[in-house]
Amino acid sequence: AQSVTQLDSHVSVSEGTPVLLRCNYSSSYSPSLFWYVQHPNKGLQLLLKYTSAATLVKGINGFEAEFKKSETSFHLTKPSAHMSDAAEYFCVVSDPLLYGGSQGNLIFGKGTKLSVKP
Amino acid sequence: NAGVMQNPRHLVRRRGQEARLRCSPMKGHSHVYWYRQLPEEGLKFMVYLQKENIIDESGMPKERFSAEFPKEGPSILRIQQVVRGDSAAYFCASSPSILNGALETQYFGPGTRLLVL
């Protein structure tokens, strides 16, 4: 079973409109969840993380995500897209109880490429 | 404070040669992680190391691949007798010491793009 599912491989929005990148996960009781962004030919930058504190997590650059246990979702949102947001976004889970290994073993979704039109 | 450094950024090897990828963690970080990213795929965990110790190598192929993080110097991911299927981007990440089992954020380097001809 897929442990992290990013429902859209490609999302296109117009500048100034909202962004929604969807992510569903499989986990045990207490996963850690992350969103990372990768700009072309660059490394990954952490946008935000959830580690069993507040369910609404605010990140950098105006992004936020809400942990919904009942829906096993961790969708990433931003109220208004900017051209510089165009990149690939990865939803990531760490859950050694379910997947074994160590807490260092991050499990990545396949990514969602975000395009922003002027 | 310099981020995670990886070199080389690009590496070309012919089939059968060896590839050595280096990673210098952020200052103060003693945990290093290696991931592989195939085209159009997310990153796949390979190995997690602390200084002089391999903590988790559950994602490492059983043959031809090895990793080390010596007491002094960078972490090295070594691929012997490379094949075309090894062509990928290899990312290193580092994190501070884990306190009380809490998961620390991993900070990623820019990656090494390996091309096997």
Side-chain angles (χ1 to χ4, degrees):
Chain A
Q2 183 72 26
S3 47
V4 181
T5 303
Q6 291 185 242
L7 295 153
D8 306 294
S9 59
H10 196 178
V11 169
S12 182
V13 301
S14 296
E15 190 175 20
T17 64
V19 176
L20 170 63
L21 304 183
R22 298 181 293 167
C23 174
N24 287 93
Y25 62 90
S26 303
S27 84
S28 64
Y29 182 71
S30 55
S32 295
L33 294 158
F34 309 79
W35 276 97
Y36 280 87
V37 60
Q38 184 180 28
H39 290 275
N41 297 315
K42 297 281 181 66
L44 285 86
Q45 182 183 20
L46 178 70
L47 280 178
L48 49 82
K49 66 177 180 181
Y50 166 79
T51 53
S52 73
T55 56
L56 181 62
V57 182
K58 293 190 185 297
I60 61 171
N61 301 335
F63 284 95
E64 61 183 39
E66 186 171 7
F67 173 68
K68 290 188 177 180
K69 188 176 172 65
S70 60
E71 298 176 11
T72 61
S73 70
F74 191 58
H75 302 332
L76 182 70
T77 59
K78 181 172 179 177
S80 176
H82 191 272
M83 296 295 290
S84 61
D85 294 328
E88 188 157 21
Y89 292 78
F90 291 97
C91 182
V92 181
V93 65
S94 173
D95 195 345
L97 284 177
L98 185 63
Y99 300 113
S102 61
Q103 288 180 320
N105 183 343
L106 297 183
I107 298 168
F108 281 72
K110 291 193 174 183
T112 298
K113 286 189 176 135
L114 175 65
S115 301
V116 182
K117 297 175 288 188
Chain B
N1 186 15
V4 178
M5 311 272 286
Q6 289 188 250
N7 69 81
R9 294 290 305 276
H10 299 274
L11 183 61
V12 180
R13 285 286 179 267
R14 297 193 181 280
R15 282 178 295 169
Q17 291 184 319
E18 179 180 284
R20 280 185 179 237
L21 288 62
R22 294 175 190 78
C23 169
S24 297
M26 285 179 71
K27 187 176 180 181
H29 288 191
S30 58
H31 299 248
V32 165
Y33 316 82
W34 285 94
Y35 294 82
R36 176 166 60 178
Q37 183 180 31
L38 295 170
E40 306 300 321
E41 294 282 333
L43 279 70
K44 296 281 195 291
F45 170 81
M46 298 180 76
V47 62
Y48 162 28
L49 310 105
Q50 293 180 29
K51 287 282 187 182
E52 300 183 283
N53 282 309
I54 296 176
I55 306 302
D56 179 358
E57 56 182 350
S58 57
M60 193 83 111
K62 294 288 183 272
E63 296 178 349
R64 302 188 297 107
F65 284 74
S66 62
E68 62 177 9
F69 188 17
K71 190 175 179 181
E72 302 289 339
S75 175
I76 307 283
L77 179 68
R78 183 180 176 209
I79 312 172
Q80 296 178 289
Q81 299 174 326
V82 296
V83 300
R84 287 216 174 107
D86 297 333
S87 295
Y90 291 82
F91 288 93
C92 170
S94 71
S95 70
S97 301
I98 291 181
L99 298 176
N100 301 320
L103 177 67
E104 294 284 349
T105 299
Q106 294 184 22
Y107 295 87
F108 283 79
T112 293
R113 281 150 183 85
L114 172 66
L115 176 63
V116 179
L117 300 176

